[in-house]
Amino acid sequence: MLFESYDRQNFGFLLIMWLLGFVALFGFEIRSLVYVQQDYVMPLLLVIGFIGSTFLLREVLIDRALKAQTVRINGKAVPVTLQPANEVLQDYVRKRASVLSIQTNINILSLPRTWNIVDAFVIGSGTRQSLVVTGGVQLLAVQQGSEHQERLRFLIDHELGQVVLLLCCLL
């Protein structure tokens, strides 16, 4: 639910920015520059500056807020930077997704410094899904043996089932 509200906030922010920009760019001051003083360069620069600043603000304020995630440990917020999972695990997840006929692009990320924990979860909304695994799951992916592979298959299939449920909610 957090990410659905994030998408609505993102859309609302951009809509308000465009409305304000429309009023500013086509308001009385700009029309007087164009019609009275025959100055076309300044309004054009304002349009280009506004569009550029809108996308810059979106990148700085919204996208960075999503990337700068924190986890609560003992009541204290600890910043966490998600990293791409190892290639062995990424290949395994993509192979399992194709076996289960999941037709979406899934980011496979890992939580750093979690080698002693075996867990995974799905975040995202719509078709922008991310599977986040701990370091323990990455260790399972590289270990040999049928017991390890069965545990990994169960965990990954469970999380891919969550992806399917999230995608079904879109229909």
Side-chain angles (χ1 to χ4, degrees):
M1 293 300 167
L2 169 69
F3 291 96
E4 289 176 11
S5 64
Y6 167 78
D7 288 340
R8 284 189 211 111
Q9 289 174 352
N10 190 1
F11 178 75
F13 172 76
L14 289 176
L15 181 66
I16 289 171
M17 285 293 294
W18 280 100
L19 288 174
L20 288 173
F22 184 80
V23 169
L25 294 174
F26 298 105
F28 175 73
E29 294 82 9
I30 298 300
R31 285 187 288 160
S32 68
L33 278 174
V34 173
Y35 296 123
V36 176
Q37 299 177 7
Q38 300 295 317
D39 183 10
Y40 295 98
V41 175
M42 182 59 74
L44 184 63
L45 289 175
L46 287 172
V47 168
I48 293 170
F50 176 75
I51 291 172
S53 65
T54 299
F55 289 110
L56 179 68
L57 281 173
R58 180 176 182 256
E59 175 66 28
V60 170
L61 296 179
I62 295 175
D63 289 343
R64 283 192 184 173
L66 182 63
K67 292 175 187 171
Q69 299 171 355
T70 59
V71 174
R72 290 223 170 259
I73 298 176
N74 297 327
K76 183 178 178 183
V78 177
V80 173
T81 303
L82 298 175
Q83 301 170 347
N86 63 32
E87 290 296 322
V88 173
L89 184 62
Q90 288 189 22
D91 291 341
Y92 182 79
V93 171
R94 288 191 179 91
K95 184 170 45 170
R96 292 301 303 162
S98 67
V99 167
L100 298 171
S101 301
I102 299 173
Q103 302 294 326
T104 187
N105 189 13
I106 304 170
N107 279 337
I108 299 107
L109 304 170
S110 69
L111 285 169
R113 300 180 306 276
T114 56
W115 298 105
N116 58 342
I117 302 168
V118 177
D119 200 3
F121 55 92
V122 176
I123 59 174
S125 66
T127 57
R128 295 181 303 167
Q129 305 284 333
S130 293
L131 174 63
V132 180
V133 298
T134 60
V137 176
Q138 293 189 84
L139 285 176
L140 273 179
V142 297
Q143 289 179 343
Q144 299 298 320
S146 61
E147 179 184 328
H148 297 300
Q149 293 303 312
E150 185 63 27
R151 290 174 65 195
L152 179 65
R153 187 187 64 77
F154 177 81
L155 181 70
I156 297 302
D157 286 357
H158 173 81
E159 297 307 327
L160 291 174
Q162 302 297 325
V163 170
V164 170
L165 284 175
L166 289 170
L167 290 174
C168 288
C169 292
L170 293 174
L171 300 176

